[in-house]
Amino acid sequence: DQQVKQNSPSLSVQEGRISILNCDYTNSMFDYFLWYKKYPAEGPTFLISISSIKDKNEDGRFTVFLNKSAKHLSLHIVPSQPGDSAVYFCAALYNNTDMRFGAGTRLTVKP
Amino acid sequence: DARVTQTPRHKVTEMGQEVTMRCQPILGHNTVFWYRQTMMQGLELLAYFRNRAPLDDSGMPKDRFSAEMPDATLATLKIQPSEPRDSAVYFCASGLGRQTQYFGPGTRLLVL
C-alpha cells in the first residue's frame, strides 16, 4: 500500500534551470513532510521539511510547497547545479509515529 | 563529525545462510530505525526502536527477521534463513525522534 507516491522515477534538467520534484500522498492524516537526498553508495540525508500547517518552506535554493487539498507536495531547486544530481525521496509522517517514504526520483542536472 | 556507521557495507551470501547486519547509532540519539531499499518499493520501514525498546516492527517478516539493541551503541538486524528476495540495501538511521533521521551508508546484501 503505497501511501506516498513519486510518480516520476527520473528527471533531467539543464544546469541553472529549475528542478521540480513531485510527491503525492493518500493519507490526509499526515502532518509533517520531508525531503531526503541520496547519493550513490551513501545513506539518504535530510534536505528540507514542512509542517502541514504551512504551505511553503524555503531554505536557500530549495523550496518545498504543500497543497493539502490536492495531497501534493513539491520540491523546487533553483538554480539547479550538477551537484544536485541524486535520488530524492519524499517522506510523510503522521503524529510522529508513522513515517512513509516514496520510491524516489532520480534527478540529473546536466552542465 | 558524528555519523551512523553500518557493517558490513557489502555482503554476498547463499540462500539459507544467516546474515547479521550491525549499526552504531549516533551517540545520544534515542531512536533507531531499520529500512530496506528496493527498486520498486523505495524505503520500507522494518523496525523502530526508542530508548532501545522495539516500538514498531510491523514491516518486518517475523519468521526470518529479527532486530535487537543489545545496548545503546549497537543495533542488529538478522535474517535467518536468508532468501534471494531479501537482496536489497539495508539502512540504519538514528535520531531524537522521527522527524529528523540520520542515515548510515547502508549494507548492500545479495543472497544467491
Side-chain angles (χ1 to χ4, degrees):
Chain A
D1 177 22
Q2 286 258 290
Q3 296 190 35
V4 178
K5 296 180 182 179
Q6 293 176 256
N7 292 319
S8 298
S10 63
L11 174 68
S12 183
V13 172
Q14 206 67 32
E15 181 179 7
R17 299 292 187 106
I18 185 171
S19 295
I20 300 177
L21 297 106
N22 294 305
C23 178
D24 297 294
Y25 60 95
T26 57
N27 189 346
S28 59
M29 300 300 289
F30 287 133
D31 53 14
Y32 199 79
F33 303 88
L34 309 93
W35 284 94
Y36 283 82
K37 180 168 73 172
K38 183 184 177 305
Y39 292 117
E42 295 183 10
T45 55
F46 171 74
L47 188 58
I48 192 170
S49 62
I50 188 168
S51 166
S52 61
I53 63 173
K54 295 186 175 182
D55 54 19
K56 177 182 175 181
N57 187 25
E58 189 172 352
D59 183 3
R61 297 186 296 113
F62 302 90
T63 303
V64 56
F65 294 92
L66 176 63
N67 182 334
K68 287 180 64 180
S69 61
K71 297 191 182 69
H72 177 84
L73 69 156
S74 60
L75 173 67
H76 292 211
I77 307 173
V78 55
S80 301
Q81 300 173 354
D84 297 329
S85 297
V87 177
Y88 289 79
F89 289 98
C90 165
L93 187 64
Y94 164 59
N95 198 27
N96 207 28
T97 60
D98 190 10
M99 189 163 184
R100 303 295 174 116
F101 282 84
T105 296
R106 181 178 301 278
L107 173 66
T108 303
V109 180
K110 298 180 179 179
Chain B
D1 184 19
R3 297 185 183 189
V4 175
T5 58
Q6 289 186 248
T7 57
R9 292 294 308 274
H10 303 272
K11 176 74 175 178
V12 180
T13 190
E14 292 185 343
M15 182 174 63
Q17 297 297 305
E18 177 178 302
V19 175
T20 298
M21 291 169 270
R22 294 178 175 79
C23 167
Q24 182 173 5
I26 293 173
L27 190 65
H29 283 184
N30 65 347
T31 54
V32 173
F33 309 83
W34 282 104
Y35 290 92
R36 174 169 61 185
Q37 182 189 8
T38 60
M39 291 294 291
M40 299 303 296
Q41 297 294 327
L43 284 166
E44 304 172 79
L45 178 67
L46 297 175
Y48 164 39
F49 291 80
R50 180 184 291 164
N51 297 322
R52 294 177 55 200
L55 291 191
D56 182 3
D57 60 3
S58 57
M60 202 164 64
K62 299 292 191 304
D63 56 338
R64 299 184 299 109
F65 285 60
S66 62
E68 296 179 345
M69 280 201 73
D71 60 61
T73 65
L74 177 65
T76 62
L77 179 66
K78 290 185 181 180
I79 309 174
Q80 169 62 25
S82 58
E83 298 180 0
R85 59 180 167 151
D86 301 328
S87 299
V89 182
Y90 290 81
F91 289 103
C92 173
S94 72
L96 293 171
R98 296 193 74 143
Q99 291 189 351
T100 304
Q101 299 178 24
Y102 295 84
F103 283 77
T107 294
R108 185 175 295 276
L109 173 66
L110 177 60
V111 182
L112 302 173

